Amino acid sequence: MSTHTEPAGTLLVVAKAPVPGRVKTRLTPYFTPQQAAALACAALRDTLDAVLAAPARRRVLCLDGAPGPWLPGGIEVVPQGSGGLDARLAAAFALCDGPALLIGMDTPQVTPELLAEGLDFTGADAWFGPAPDGGFWALGLAEPDPALLLGVPMSVPHTGRVQRLRLTESGRTVRDLPALRDVDTPDDAVRVAARAPGTRFAALHAELCTAVR
């Protein structure tokens, strides 16, 4: 009898289609809207590469916008829900009937190994991946409950603290993933590119910075 077990869990990626003027607007005016969108596209492709290489039963892209040629095979695409970011993240977890790890498109330095860690709920009910700006880059739930996200104030310096407290106050055992920096500002882009030199994001960032000079 085979002892092989199928990978458990769902990887959720919440993203915007990389359309100029709609993504990474804080990278302008250092970069043009077209360059900012190209960096967003590179980050998204790097993220999806890591998702495809990680062990998971389902890989779901919750997308605001339309898929494009950047979308690889093997990724299920669903439209994002409506409402604020807390409601949209909650809607993503509502798609899952078992363990799930949710990430964004802003951490091209993420690795398949980190994603696999966040889907291993041995000894944990939840995983929390903090970001230096006070938010979070990853949230994993052994038993997804959309209510855990509803009402959490998003995109403020205490978002991560409130979200993690929500997890612990629910009685869940929470473990932390390493902190990863989101790409929001030109300085973030420099730091992330330096940390992940082998990525599409880093290569494009170097090319664009050379052009800017």
Side-chain angles (χ1 to χ4, degrees), residues 45-56:
R45 291 179 69 192
D46 287 328
T47 300
L48 295 178
D49 282 349
V51 166
L52 285 170

Side-chain angles (χ1 to χ4, degrees), residues 38-112:
L39 286 167
C41 185
L44 179 54
R45 291 179 69 192
D46 287 328
T47 300
L48 295 178
D49 282 349
V51 166
L52 285 170
R57 183 169 58 86
R58 288 177 72 197
R59 298 167 179 86
V60 182
L61 175 63
C62 303
L63 184 64
D64 175 2
W70 46 264
L71 180 68
I75 304 285
E76 179 184 342
V77 181
V78 299
Q80 275 188 33
S82 57
L85 182 56
D86 62 323
R88 286 180 278 137
L89 298 185
F93 276 111
L95 299 169
C96 306
D97 57 2
L101 178 69
L102 179 146
I103 64 171
M105 63 182 283
D106 304 328
T107 50
Q109 71 273 44
V110 73
T111 63

